[in-house]
Amino acid sequence: QLQLVESGGGLVQPGGSLRLSCAASSVTLDSYIIGWFRQAPGNDYEGVSCITDHGRFTNYGDSVKGRFTISRDSAKATVNLQIDDLKPEDTAVYYCAGNWGPTIDWCALEKRSYNFWGQGTQVTVSS
């Protein structure tokens, strides 16, 4: 059972930056595809970004391309989401999600593609 924990959320002004991290409580994330999703109040889950286990393939939602960057930190055994130029519409609870996927060369931004989910971290963008 993969248990995921997100960190790094907070309150930030428009135009600011945040770095979210996703870690596993008892195993490394090396063989897992990791995705980031967000859910704003009253909205459905939105796929933000994902990365394959080897990190060679990444995918981004249209609304975040050019502002969000996903990466793996092998030393810290985390998957990070760098968020720049934050906008009020980025306000949401951000979740990381995982699915077993060694050697898979692509990842999807669909909620149904992931079996394991963290509890989420709140990101609020407001002046």
Side-chain angles (χ1 to χ4, degrees):
Q1 188 80 2
L2 181 66
Q3 295 179 321
L4 299 172
V5 179
E6 304 94 339
S7 62
L11 173 64
V12 64
Q13 293 185 343
S17 297
L18 279 176
R19 186 176 180 86
L20 307 183
S21 290
C22 176
S25 60
S26 59
V27 299
T28 67
L29 298 176
D30 291 349
S31 295
Y32 290 87
I33 297 170
I34 299 296
W36 281 96
F37 291 77
R38 66 185 181 185
Q39 187 178 32
N43 290 359
D44 202 353
Y45 282 85
E46 176 188 5
V48 172
S49 184
C50 61
I51 188 167
T52 50
D53 70 314
H54 43 63
R56 285 196 294 270
F57 179 86
T58 58
N59 197 5
Y60 295 93
D62 289 340
S63 64
V64 306
K65 284 180 181 177
R67 299 188 298 119
F68 288 28
T69 305
I70 194 170
S71 63
R72 287 185 177 270
D73 185 333
S74 298
K76 296 182 179 180
T78 60
V79 173
N80 302 315
L81 186 69
Q82 177 68 35
I83 308 175
D84 297 317
D85 190 24
L86 276 156
K87 305 176 185 300
E89 52 263 39
D90 294 320
T91 295
V93 178
Y94 284 71
Y95 299 89
C96 70
N99 199 31
W100 181 256
T103 73
I104 294 178
D105 295 328
W106 61 276
C107 59
L109 295 177
E110 298 175 344
K111 187 172 180 287
R112 62 183 179 180
S113 296
Y114 299 86
N115 295 324
F116 306 102
W117 291 78
Q119 294 299 307
T121 185
Q122 176 71 46
V123 172
T124 303
V125 185
S126 175
S127 55

